[in-house]
Amino acid sequence: MEYKYHPLSAGSDEIRVLTLYPGESSDDIQVALHHVHFREDTPPVFEALSYVWGSPANPVSIAIKKTVLGSGLALGHDRGCTLMVTQNLGVALRYLRDRVEPRTLWIDAICIDQSSTSERSQQVQRMDKIYQHAARVVIWLGPEANNSNAIMEILAEMGSSIHLDWATHVCEPSVSSFQYQVLEAKIQANGGAALTALSHLLSRPWFERLWVVQEAKLSNSEAIVKCGRSTMRWDTFLKGIIGIYSDSDLAKATLYAKLLAIMDLYFDVKTRMRLEELLNNTQML
């Protein structure tokens, strides 16, 4: 039976968040929807998903176990209802789901009644605040493909091994010389394959949607990026990209235009100009 949304309280500060129940990879996706009060000074604790909806073709169903209204009333008769979501979101939910613990998320396609024009209009106006006040923003790039696991591992290592000085345009290793030489050798051993994988990663649809990338811009320092099973902090991801770029003439030749395009989406004009200067002058000591 198709799930029917219960309206949010008119004129209230309510939003919906979902509980993603634990399960194994092959288990059906099961969630519960909760109506909660959203106040900027005391926001509810949830993670906000930043992702691309993807094609509406061949949607997948998720099971709604119950709805909990703002009053605390649990509507168990929703059990057995299903909601259709895009393939990309369905895949994301499987990767986001824990095997043991439930996870509380805000996901626009599920937490906003997409069939209600008035609710969509009201909730969309709150989205910037939702991403600003989420306990953590989770950036979903998609499942593993084109050696993404390997390049995500390299980005995590590089991003955790350097310190960036924005004023002097210098990248300095934050680990021992030996550790950094091992990392450099690993990157060089991968050669063009690593840069090809990075180029594929940065060409994913998430990086091409202005409103999606700005969700990361609104996030706090706890934001993470997830590609398949690989996860790292968003700031580590960005440092890893710049570290690889600064350490390889081949990277500078192949990634410069792509990095500038991403910066156009993600940063304001002043910051973008500083970063372009950094890319043009960065050297690894």
Side-chain angles (χ1 to χ4, degrees), residues 135-285:
R136 183 167 68 178
V137 171
V138 180
I139 298 163
W140 169 248
L141 299 183
E144 301 96 339
N146 299 308
N147 292 322
S148 60
N149 282 346
I151 193 59
M152 287 287 285
E153 180 181 339
I154 290 172
L155 287 170
E157 289 187 63
M158 174 61 81
S160 301
S161 301
I162 63 171
H163 169 71
L164 272 163
D165 188 324
W166 301 98
T168 60
H169 311 127
V170 169
C171 287
E172 293 183 307
S174 59
V175 295
S176 70
S177 297
F178 174 75
Q179 287 175 303
Y180 195 78
Q181 288 171 1
V182 171
L183 177 57
E184 282 185 313
K186 182 176 181 178
I187 295 172
Q188 291 167 4
N190 282 273
L195 295 181
T196 298
L198 181 55
S199 181
H200 280 299
L201 187 67
L202 298 181
S203 298
R204 292 194 179 211
W206 187 89
F207 293 100
E208 299 171 358
R209 303 291 192 272
L210 173 61
W211 58 90
V212 176
V213 177
Q214 287 184 335
E215 293 165 0
K217 184 177 178 180
L218 292 167
S219 67
N220 61 28
S221 61
E222 299 300 316
I224 60 172
V225 57
K226 189 171 183 64
C227 182
R229 298 293 177 192
S230 301
T231 305
M232 75 185 80
R233 290 173 61 100
W234 174 237
D235 59 350
T236 300
F237 181 83
L238 292 176
K239 285 198 302 178
I241 293 172
I242 294 175
I244 290 175
Y245 178 91
S246 67
D247 211 35
S248 167
D249 290 335
L250 180 58
K252 291 176 181 178
T254 58
L255 296 177
Y256 183 75
K258 195 174 294 293
L259 288 178
L260 289 187
I262 292 170
M263 289 191 299
D264 279 338
L265 293 174
Y266 184 74
F267 296 105
D268 57 50
V269 174
K270 183 178 180 180
T271 304
R272 192 259 195 211
M273 291 176 65
R274 288 177 57 211
L275 285 172
E276 184 174 357
E277 185 179 2
L278 176 65
L279 293 180
N280 287 327
N281 295 282
T282 294
Q283 54 181 318
M284 185 69 70
L285 295 183

Side-chain angles (χ1 to χ4, degrees), residues 14-196:
E14 280 189 348
I15 64 171
R16 294 184 191 88
V17 295
L18 68 87
T19 298
L20 177 60
Y21 288 104
E24 299 296 329
S25 59
S26 60
D27 292 342
D28 291 339
I29 297 293
Q30 298 188 25
V31 306
L33 289 176
H34 303 260
H35 294 205
V36 297
H37 294 284
F38 178 79
R39 302 184 181 96
E40 292 183 47
D41 55 341
T42 55
V45 178
F46 63 90
E47 298 174 285
L49 183 64
S50 177
Y51 71 110
V52 175
W53 280 35
S55 171
N58 302 313
V60 298
S61 66
I62 61 173
I64 309 294
K65 292 190 69 173
K66 63 181 178 180
T67 301
V68 181
L69 303 183
S71 63
L73 177 64
L75 304 178
H77 58 69
D78 286 331
R79 185 184 298 273
C81 293
T82 59
L83 184 68
M84 305 304 290
V85 300
T86 63
Q87 286 273 349
N88 188 46
L89 179 52
V91 171
L93 289 169
R94 291 191 177 278
Y95 279 92
L96 291 167
R97 178 173 57 185
D98 190 80
R99 291 184 174 181
V100 179
E101 298 293 333
R103 193 168 188 173
T104 302
L105 297 157
W106 184 89
I107 303 174
D108 58 354
I110 299 174
C111 295
I112 299 175
D113 181 358
Q114 300 298 324
S115 68
S116 170
T117 303
S118 60
E119 182 177 309
R120 282 206 322 269
S121 176
Q122 181 188 51
Q123 294 293 303
V124 165
Q125 293 178 39
R126 290 180 174 167
M127 285 178 63
D128 59 341
K129 301 299 182 184
I130 288 172
Y131 283 98
Q132 282 179 345
H133 294 284
R136 183 167 68 178
V137 171
V138 180
I139 298 163
W140 169 248
L141 299 183
E144 301 96 339
N146 299 308
N147 292 322
S148 60
N149 282 346
I151 193 59
M152 287 287 285
E153 180 181 339
I154 290 172
L155 287 170
E157 289 187 63
M158 174 61 81
S160 301
S161 301
I162 63 171
H163 169 71
L164 272 163
D165 188 324
W166 301 98
T168 60
H169 311 127
V170 169
C171 287
E172 293 183 307
S174 59
V175 295
S176 70
S177 297
F178 174 75
Q179 287 175 303
Y180 195 78
Q181 288 171 1
V182 171
L183 177 57
E184 282 185 313
K186 182 176 181 178
I187 295 172
Q188 291 167 4
N190 282 273
L195 295 181
T196 298

